[in-house]
Amino acid sequence: MIKAKITAQNPSANLRSYEQTYQFFSWSDVEKEFTWYQTGKLNIVHEAIDRWADDPDKGNRNALIFEKAGQSTAYTYSDLKRISCQWANLLLQHGFETGDRLFILLPSCPEVYFAMLACARLGLVFCPLFSTLSFDELEERLENAKPRGLLTHPDFAEKLPYEAMNDVKHLFLTESPLPGMFPGEVLLKGLSEKMPAGCNTCWVPGNTPLYLLYTSGSTGPPKGVVHAHRDMIGLMITARYVLDLRPDAVLWTDCDPAWVTGTVYGAFAPWLCGATSVVQADPFSASTWYRTLERHKISVWYKTPGNMRRLKEAGDDLTGRYDFSHLRHIASVGEALEPELIYWFKKNFKITPHDTWWMTETGMICIANFPAMDIKPGSMGKAVPGIKAAAVDENGNPLPLMTMGELALKPGWPSMMTNIWKDDERYQAYFKNGWFLTGDMVIQDEEGYFYHQGRTDDLIKVGVKLIGPYEIERALCRHPAVAEAAVISKSAKPGAPFLKAFVTVNRGLTPSARLNQEIKTFVRADLSSDIVLKEIAFLESLPKTRSGKLLRRVLRAQELGLPAGDPLNIKDY
Ligand code: ATP
Ligand code: MG
């Protein structure tokens, strides 16, 4: 564990004193900030869009800036109110009723956001999907959720599993040509604009389903996690405290809208704060990314360590060519943020990235580094105000500090999932002894900072002790030739692991037997004597989920000769 601390970056951030806020925090105080607290009429779209759109001073503020191929289009809060009403009217015209599902199978584009808002407005459930899903994955999700409608682009219509679409009444296409393969095809281009710009928002109870999202599938087949309108309470407060959003903030959540981070922190969370969200839909290149920061005067940047690594690989000299003077906060999520990346960004951007932790099921950031709090590199921070977190043993009993255990949260925060779609057994399995179990292993230090140690499934038993692969992977990544690393045990004998590492090398370097030996010797010096790395294999790239997370289970399956199949769909073993 690293003892060094980086001094707080911004003592005058929204959350100034962590300890004090944590101690006196109450969710009901946050509820008072919403209009429904007075009126009793609740809908997330009213709070995120309409309340700003209806304010003459705020309606013309940009809510969404969408950029692709050098072209950017801005939508004000008033625009989003009008367009989402038009889309809502269109859905009503096609017979959608409260509780119906709409699948959104599109790459990042403005229509994704219009559809999400229109559904929410009507009390429908939207389900964003990665446009790269395979035929089988789509089939599985269609059969599971039975949506009434599916929104897509003609480019993706070919791979639709039409046999699984019996319950789908309408196939909405953003553009022509229509595939002509499905009876209920509807061309949206030109149609939604003709719809009336006013509509009645559907007032709903707070636990009304808002979206259904299938998890990343890092540890097993994805689960359909359901979230409700009341999530807004947690989204607003975390956007304010963790991302430090204010109404003048320009946030770029650098993630696909089909991944939960893009769904909520790329849309609803910034809008609940009256801020601007920037969406960049180009393929990744460091220069495009830096140009986006400069062009849109991004002030807050929320991204993944994977994306940060790619920027680091592009080199130090590039950053000096752009103006990042508006950038005041960087936060990261999805994987552990290695200290090397923190220091690289600190050097090249003069800003320290802040790690945050959460999962699809929690609905909002739950553990975080806050701008007004010192950072301990390697730690994902402290529990967000309103969240009680602990490391627990296999019976759900809290462990002493500095002991590795499973990260557990006390249920009761407002953004927690309401259920797993049609799978109550899987939902109930999250809870033990009054705690919500996360499946992640952590250590909490004396000051309340949490350190991620890997997922429960990835743990390796060495003698009687359990170690996380992350510790060894970090040691490997400290070698100057190593870009990324994944460590597994290929032994079936508990307690007697056969540790194997898979590594990729930095650009311009060639793997060799000599380098292999050199890396092995290098890590040996860094690890305790009972942890012996026996094998290192060089790979071109490591298997990852669509949201960029390492799939150690795929490497294990390949190593143990189990059927690898579709890497994202391998069942538990
Ligand atoms: P599945 O549940 O289908 O296996 P998944 O857990 O990867 O997929 P997500 O909900 O997108 O799906 O990701 C949540 C997980 O991401 C967490 O449980 C944790 O393992 C990992 N994660 C998120 N943030 C961090 C972080 N800051 N440090 C380390 N791991 C993180
Ligand atoms: Mg998970």
Side-chain angles (χ1 to χ4, degrees), residues 445-456:
D445 74 9
E446 299 87 349
E447 288 183 281
Y449 285 83
F450 284 93
Y451 297 78
H452 197 261
Q453 302 295 302
R455 295 168 181 253
T456 46

Side-chain angles (χ1 to χ4, degrees), residues 215 219 223 359 361 438 455:
T215 56
T219 49
K223 308 160 270 269
M359 53 199 284
E361 294 87 330
T438 63
R455 295 168 181 253

Side-chain angles (χ1 to χ4, degrees), residues 78-96:
S78 303
D79 291 336
L80 287 191
K81 181 176 177 192
R82 187 189 70 252
I83 299 171
S84 62
C85 276
Q86 289 175 317
W87 278 60
N89 286 325
L90 193 122
L91 292 172
L92 279 177
Q93 199 182 66
H94 286 85
F96 278 77

